[in-house]
Amino acid sequence: MSRHRLIFAGSGGQGVITAAIILAEAAVLFEGQNAVQSQSYGAAARGGISRSDVIISDAPIHFPKVNQPNTLICLTQEAYNKFNSVIRPGGILITDTHYVSLDTRAEARIYHLPLYTSVMQEIGKPVVFNICVLGALQAITGLVRLDSLHQILKKRIPSRFLDINERALQLGAELGKNTEVQTH
Amino acid sequence: MAIDKYMRERFFPHIWCPGCGHGTILNNMLRAVDELQLNQNEMVMVSGIGCSSRISGYVDFHSLHTLHGRALAFATGIKMSQPNLSVICPMGDGDALAIGGNHFIHACRRNMDITAIVMNNRIYGMTGGQYSPLSGSGITATTAPQKTIDREFDITSLSLASGATFVARTTAYHYREITKYIKEALQHPGFSVVEILSQCPTHFGRRNKLGDAPEMLKLYKQNTTRIGSEAKQNNPELIERGIFRQEIAPEYCAEYAELINRVQQG
Amino acid sequence: MAKPKVQGHQIKRSWCKGCGICVAFCPKEVLELDQEQKATPERASQCVGCRTCERMCPDLAIAIELEQDDDATN
Amino acid sequence: MTQRTEFIQGNEVCVNAALYAGLDFFAGYPITPSSEIAETMAKQLPRIGGKFLQMEDEISSICSIIGASLTGHKVMTATSGPGFSLMQETLGFAVMAEIPCVIVDVQRGGPSTGLPTHGSQGDVYQARWGTHGDHAIIALTASNHQDLFSMTVEAFNMAETYRTPVILLMDEITGHTREPVNLPEQGEIPIIGRLRTSVPEGVDYHPYLPREDGRLPMSDFGGKHRYNVTGLYHDMWGFPTTDPNVIHGLIHHLMDKIENHAHEITRYREYYLDDAHTVLISYGCSARTALHVVNSRRRRGEKLGLLELQSLWPFPAELVRAKCAHAHYILVVEMNMGQVVHEVKKAVHEPERVYLANRVDGEFITPTDVRGIMRLIHGRGV
């Protein structure tokens, strides 16, 4: 039985929950996997820590929450400070250089990537930052195929915004692929 | 009588006290239905709780006797789900404007084709004579033994401000106007409010030394006047009777049908 | 239009609660309350068929029958 | 394969299932964590020619669905604890007037405004006793999306069968979690339609006279039979009465039509109960945690089993008594201060065997929480 547990953490408005849904939906609809996605909300839709849990497995999933993630994605300093200690030993940590400075040690393979900066340079639309993160996550973990994520984007995103989203996904995948693992 | 066929005669005599204006309202409401030759199978009467609400038991329509203040909320579901039905909501003043006040203003705002009749006797009769938001100040009631200090609603102003597209007022004395305004209201394609001042000799009249039912009816004659009359200019204290608004505006069920069309073609 | 001829007052005694509204507002003083406090057409011949009593009666207990009145057969 | 897999929220599953069951009228008022039900209804209903109403509050929402049910439609409203509190008076009306309707309560932490965005199972007793006066009620629940689909359809079926409001107790976890669900094709799950009277026009129709099988055929408002509906005690024509014989008959009818069919209403799932020394009893979201614990302990050879209740009211006491007959320990897992645990204690012999594993801080109850209680029961400390 293979089971991969992820926590997506950032601030409200960054699209972390959407990214989590797209990943899980891709696993279910195009990879023949089982997945569960849940989230915890703050009072406000924007600002405050936003967290979404995803479990992908080839077996039934009963308990839907993630206590110790195999992969932790932290897109704000606050999220990083709060969650970096819960990561499973040997797990993966993905952070963004614009939002997070690594100042604590985590027992993890760390991917500290210039995702936001690259999105702003290459695409100029901060709204697709979360999709870029998803591209990097795909390249690093191989949990789902890039094409499956493409399919979900096509399903969910209005055609006039599809192009920038696909470019962001591709950009993230390249950044994820070409980055050396850091360890502290 | 021509109106017999609209009555459930086996429940008469009705439960209202001698001289209660509500009976006169029922009497002349049925005449409006008769003059329009409405099909009883397409008539629904929805009432709340209180003396007024018992009216729904006496009419041979589809009848729904609901909860205190909620008549319009139930009626909204009936009309929305089956817009071909004529829906009449008789309510008491406390029923419509105290506990049901929120439903009342929102029903006015929505402009669904429902006829709301407020049988305003300025008192809670069924529970024994407590003051209502229509009693006004200086009134004696069981819950105001030292007289009320509460100010009252003006039902027509409230209805107008809330967006009702037909608003009229009359009294139990002016029986021809009851029939006329209810007839107009039933034909109006939008939310209609007809306020009818109705005497409660048992609880309001007796405690406030207004005399018996005939005496109270005479007061309606003396204290009211047609909208915009000269009498009103000379005596601003007079209560105006008449049609305050009669305007065509988008009706909710028709708008929703349009929305369905748009979505289904879209 | 000719003045309608009044055939009579149909009063449902069991419905009448004796409030006196018909007595008070009849323009021709046709009606009275009897010993049982029920409305009764004491001076029926004075009735002009205006139906005020019928329309104001809160007990729906009075019907005026007019000669050319279809209602009377209902 | 006839089924279509979707990856959606529980709230969306509920909408899909309601539409599958034939719903074409919904009224509601926004409240977390149920709002996605109203939002999805607003989107879906006009497409099928159905009606969606956003009312001024929860009171008018439930009132308007009752009005629409009387004209012959399948109806539902959805809310959360505070809104469910506001609906209680009208819920009683629906019980008394025998109006088929479905009320969804996506539970959140309470009392009062409590914890709007966090899961809870604190409304189990409110579903049973929230409205005043003696009455019977049906309440269903589900722990996963596939079961939620079928329980929602069942809720509509039972509402029609027993001519009664049915409460679907969801919770924030189930409502907001996404997982795969197979949406069945029409016809795969039986649908029970409105039972309408065959009494012809002009013949006396009795809206409140049960047939021999206990069901009461209805006639739509706007149809050929004009009758009265009231929240007062009423006779078989629907008119108010204070006749002691009629009142006695009506309240017994209202109770019996549900309580006497408890065995037909009971819905549950069981896992490894045959030889279980420790029986976990759970329902809704916390049954997921319980099942996780049972599965992992079974792999280690421990004799744990799970009874997952999907119908909470009428409480399936006979089922619980039978399934727990040989258990050394019974552990009720729920996210409240102990509600179903009291019913289990009343149901079983030797109620001192019954323990509670709960969590009420807004966090989802974890397998660790449950294991901790099991260690305490076995005297091993936490």
Side-chain angles (χ1 to χ4, degrees):
Chain A
M1 184 179 82
S2 84
R3 177 158 295 200
H4 198 99
R5 301 168 175 84
L6 303 94
I7 292 178
F8 291 71
S11 74
Q14 277 184 320
V16 291
I17 291 173
T18 306
I21 295 168
I22 291 172
L23 173 72
E25 191 171 17
V28 167
L29 297 189
F30 296 106
E31 307 275 343
Q33 295 273 332
N34 191 14
V36 171
Q37 179 272 337
S38 64
Q39 58 243 322
S40 45
Y41 296 84
R46 291 188 181 270
I49 290 190
S50 170
R51 166 185 168 171
S52 179
D53 296 9
V54 172
I55 304 172
I56 298 174
S57 174
D58 54 9
I61 304 160
H62 302 300
F63 185 68
K65 300 287 181 186
V66 175
N67 293 328
Q68 286 190 305
N70 303 89
T71 297
L72 172 68
I73 299 120
C74 290
L75 301 181
T76 63
Q77 192 67 43
E78 197 186 359
Y80 170 75
N81 294 345
K82 182 165 179 189
F83 294 116
N84 81 78
S85 61
V86 302
I87 194 161
R88 220 165 258 261
I92 294 166
L93 171 67
I94 300 173
T95 57
D96 181 80
T97 51
H98 176 79
Y99 287 108
V100 179
S101 350
L102 302 175
D103 55 1
T104 20
R105 284 172 182 276
E107 297 278 328
R109 290 182 287 150
I110 298 171
Y111 295 83
H112 192 50
L113 306 176
L115 300 166
Y116 181 80
T117 316
S118 306
V119 164
M120 293 312 287
Q121 275 170 8
E122 306 283 324
I123 303 169
K125 306 271 188 209
V127 69
V128 294
F129 170 55
N130 63 335
I131 303 302
C132 182
V133 172
L134 209 45
L137 173 68
Q138 189 281 328
I140 292 162
T141 62
L143 277 170
V144 295
R145 285 167 290 131
L146 197 59
D147 183 56
S148 303
L149 295 173
H150 269 298
Q151 297 297 327
I152 301 295
L153 288 183
K154 263 197 267 181
K155 178 172 171 255
R156 298 181 68 98
I157 293 179
S159 53
R160 62 186 187 283
F161 299 120
L162 190 58
D163 177 56
I164 55 167
N165 278 278
E166 289 188 330
R167 279 164 60 202
L169 188 69
Q170 205 60 48
L171 178 64
E174 281 157 22
L175 289 165
K177 220 177 293 175
N178 301 327
T179 304
E180 295 289 316
V181 180
Q182 298 182 29
T183 45
H184 274 258
Chain B
M1 279 193 289
I3 58 172
D4 288 352
K5 70 166 181 171
Y6 300 108
M7 292 158 58
R8 288 166 170 155
E9 295 200 26
R10 64 188 183 282
F11 298 118
F12 285 77
H14 56 54
I15 65 154
W16 294 314
C17 302
C20 172
H22 291 2
T24 308
I25 296 171
L26 169 63
N27 187 332
N28 292 284
M29 173 195 294
L30 293 180
R31 286 166 205 275
V33 173
D34 181 51
E35 286 179 24
L36 293 171
Q37 286 294 298
L38 296 175
N39 178 349
Q40 285 156 274
N41 280 350
E42 291 172 5
M43 303 282 304
V44 181
M45 184 175 280
V46 188
S47 63
I49 291 294
C51 294
S52 66
S53 75
R54 292 308 186 98
I55 193 169
S56 60
Y58 300 122
V59 296
D60 191 7
F61 307 150
H62 302 283
S63 58
L64 180 58
H65 174 227
T66 69
L67 298 164
H68 197 29
R70 317 295 174 212
L72 285 169
F74 283 87
T76 300
I78 289 173
K79 183 68 183 178
M80 180 75 170
S81 62
Q82 218 63 38
N84 64 312
L85 300 176
S86 281
V87 182
I88 309 181
C89 274
M91 295 169 286
D93 45 300
D95 191 35
L97 290 138
I99 189 166
N102 199 34
H103 307 311
F104 184 85
I105 59 172
H106 285 277
C108 290
R109 173 184 63 80
R110 232 174 251 120
N111 196 36
M112 210 174 264
D113 184 7
I114 292 169
T115 299
I117 297 166
V118 184
M119 301 154 78
N120 177 10
N121 60 13
R122 303 173 65 192
I123 202 85
Y124 289 92
M126 185 71 86
T127 45
Q130 299 79 14
Y131 73 94
S132 96
L134 271 300
S135 296
S137 60
I139 293 303
T140 302
T142 54
T143 46
Q146 300 89 5
K147 291 192 190 300
T148 48
I149 55 170
D150 287 48
R151 301 174 69 207
E152 75 270 37
F153 270 134
D154 177 334
I155 295 176
T156 56
S157 300
L158 182 70
S159 307
L160 293 168
S162 306
T165 49
F166 180 95
V167 178
R169 174 161 60 211
T170 187
T171 82
Y173 173 78
H174 302 88
Y175 59 85
R176 285 192 190 87
E177 291 178 5
I178 297 176
T179 303
K180 182 167 180 278
Y181 296 156
I182 292 179
K183 215 169 128 182
E184 296 265 9
L186 285 168
Q187 289 176 292
H188 175 75
F191 191 76
S192 313
V193 178
V194 182
E195 178 191 1
I196 305 171
L197 304 181
S198 178
Q199 73 279 7
C200 174
T202 304
H203 291 295
F204 193 86
R206 193 165 46 88
R207 274 200 190 84
N208 290 286
K209 304 193 168 45
L210 298 176
D212 58 9
E215 291 301 313
M216 292 180 79
L217 284 163
K218 283 173 195 159
L219 287 175
Y220 287 148
K221 187 184 174 191
Q222 288 162 21
N223 296 342
T224 67
T225 182
R226 303 283 309 165
I227 294 173
S229 68
E230 205 175 306
K232 174 74 179 175
Q233 285 164 10
N234 298 334
N235 180 7
E237 296 289 301
L238 292 178
I239 298 166
E240 288 178 299
R241 306 187 322 273
I243 297 174
F244 291 76
R245 179 188 284 162
Q246 190 167 20
E247 281 173 15
I248 300 299
E251 193 275 333
Y252 197 90
C253 297
E255 290 293 298
Y256 198 86
E258 188 49 43
L259 182 150
I260 289 177
N261 270 338
R262 216 166 62 222
V263 169
Q264 290 185 337
Q265 283 162 11
Chain C
M1 210 170 86
K3 191 184 132 198
K5 188 155 184 265
V6 179
Q7 287 206 320
H9 294 67
Q10 267 195 3
I11 297 177
K12 292 178 175 148
R13 288 181 63 83
S14 64
W15 292 16
C16 173
K17 296 189 181 118
C19 66
I21 289 175
C22 57
V23 178
F25 293 99
C26 174
K28 297 294 178 188
E29 299 181 334
V30 170
L31 293 139
E32 293 290 343
L33 295 182
D34 65 15
Q35 285 182 333
E36 292 172 12
Q37 293 295 298
K38 303 285 183 188
T40 184
E42 196 66 33
R43 290 168 287 277
S45 61
Q46 295 178 25
C47 176
V48 292
C50 72
R51 293 190 194 274
T52 298
C53 56
E54 182 182 314
R55 297 283 295 270
M56 287 188 83
C57 175
D59 297 321
L60 295 90
I62 307 178
I64 302 294
E65 292 173 17
L66 301 181
E67 205 154 60
Q68 71 272 41
D69 191 350
D70 293 336
D71 292 1
T73 56
N74 281 355
Chain D
M1 191 160 112
T2 58
Q3 293 173 329
R4 182 163 52 99
T5 301
E6 294 260 16
F7 184 76
I8 50 180
Q9 281 192 340
N11 283 343
E12 296 170 286
V13 173
C14 178
V15 173
N16 273 286
L19 295 171
Y20 184 94
L23 169 130
D24 61 357
F25 190 98
F26 177 95
Y29 185 79
I31 183 168
T32 303
S34 78
S35 297
E36 293 85 358
I37 294 179
E39 289 167 356
T40 313
M41 286 289 185
K43 198 171 163 189
Q44 299 286 357
L45 276 170
R47 292 181 181 168
I48 60 158
K51 310 284 172 67
F52 167 86
L53 263 179
Q54 181 168 314
M55 293 299 286
E56 56 270 19
D57 55 25
E58 288 87 351
I59 298 173
S60 50
S61 298
I62 183 170
C63 291
S64 67
I65 66 163
I66 289 171
S69 184
L70 277 166
T71 66
H73 296 265
K74 283 198 176 177
V75 301
M76 175 175 122
T77 185
T79 187
S80 186
F84 192 43
S85 296
L86 289 177
M87 290 181 181
Q88 291 303 330
E89 184 197 21
T90 314
L91 175 62
F93 181 90
V95 168
M96 182 59 115
E98 303 189 67
I99 312 292
C101 57
V102 174
I103 297 139
V104 181
D105 174 12
V106 187
Q107 297 166 92
R108 67 191 224 185
S112 189
T113 322
L115 278 167
T117 57
H118 293 66
S120 159
Q121 296 178 309
D123 299 350
V124 175
Y125 274 154
Q126 191 189 10
R128 179 65 190 88
W129 299 112
T131 197
H132 61 277
D134 286 315
H135 65 282
I137 200 83
I138 299 175
L140 306 179
T141 185
S143 66
N144 61 72
H145 287 12
Q146 206 60 54
D147 286 351
L148 177 60
F149 192 100
S150 37
M151 282 305 130
T152 305
V153 175
E154 294 266 28
F156 281 89
N157 285 349
M158 289 184 192
E160 295 295 336
T161 303
Y162 302 104
R163 228 184 118 167
T164 188
V166 174
I167 295 158
L168 183 64
L169 278 177
M170 290 175 59
D171 51 72
E172 189 276 333
I173 313 281
T174 316
H176 281 157
T177 296
R178 285 175 178 82
E179 69 178 352
V181 59
N182 293 321
L183 301 180
E185 289 289 310
Q186 279 302 331
E188 281 182 46
I189 304 180
I191 303 297
I192 294 173
R194 179 69 48 95
L195 177 66
R196 290 187 171 85
T197 180
S198 56
V199 171
E201 184 162 17
V203 178
D204 203 4
Y205 159 67
H206 303 102
Y208 293 102
L209 182 64
R211 300 194 308 195
E212 270 184 28
D213 64 359
R215 293 188 70 186
L216 294 89
M218 297 184 74
S219 177
D220 298 344
F221 266 36
K224 59 199 173 190
H225 298 292
R226 299 186 297 273
Y227 58 98
N228 190 56
V229 174
T230 177
L232 293 168
Y233 274 95
H234 47 267
D235 59 24
M236 61 184 168
W237 292 275
F239 290 100
T241 182
T242 51
D243 179 336
N245 289 323
V246 178
I247 294 167
H248 178 91
L250 179 52
I251 189 165
H252 280 83
H253 158 71
L254 292 176
M255 298 291 289
D256 292 352
K257 72 173 183 177
I258 290 171
E259 297 291 344
N260 289 355
H261 293 87
H263 58 289
E264 289 157 30
I265 294 165
T266 295
R267 297 287 185 279
Y268 67 98
R269 286 189 178 280
E270 62 171 279
Y271 304 87
Y272 314 110
L273 285 185
D274 290 345
D275 62 346
H277 293 167
T278 301
V279 171
L280 273 60
I281 297 180
S282 191
Y283 56 94
C285 64
S286 43
R288 301 182 73 114
T289 305
L291 184 54
H292 182 101
V293 171
V294 167
N295 275 333
S296 61
R297 291 284 161 128
R298 274 282 163 178
R299 281 197 292 273
R300 289 162 45 176
E302 292 181 32
K303 289 188 173 172
L304 256 68
L306 170 66
L307 174 61
E308 179 189 342
L309 303 178
Q310 296 176 309
S311 61
L312 295 177
W313 306 112
F315 190 75
E318 280 179 36
L319 173 84
V320 168
R321 182 157 52 248
K323 297 293 180 188
C324 294
H326 305 294
H328 302 173
Y329 302 104
I330 300 151
L331 183 58
V332 178
V333 185
E334 55 183 338
M335 283 176 60
N336 52 46
M337 291 296 282
Q339 298 193 15
V340 163
V341 69
H342 296 302
E343 299 304 312
V344 171
K345 281 185 178 175
K346 278 193 272 180
V348 301
H349 301 298
E350 300 174 58
E352 61 278 9
R353 294 178 295 161
V354 181
Y355 296 85
L356 170 67
N358 68 341
R359 184 151 185 172
V360 290
D361 61 353
E363 294 297 309
F364 187 41
I365 189 165
T366 66
T368 310
D369 297 328
V370 178
R371 285 191 292 258
I373 298 296
M374 292 201 305
R375 271 194 295 274
L376 279 178
I377 294 169
H378 293 110
R380 280 187 267 143
V382 182

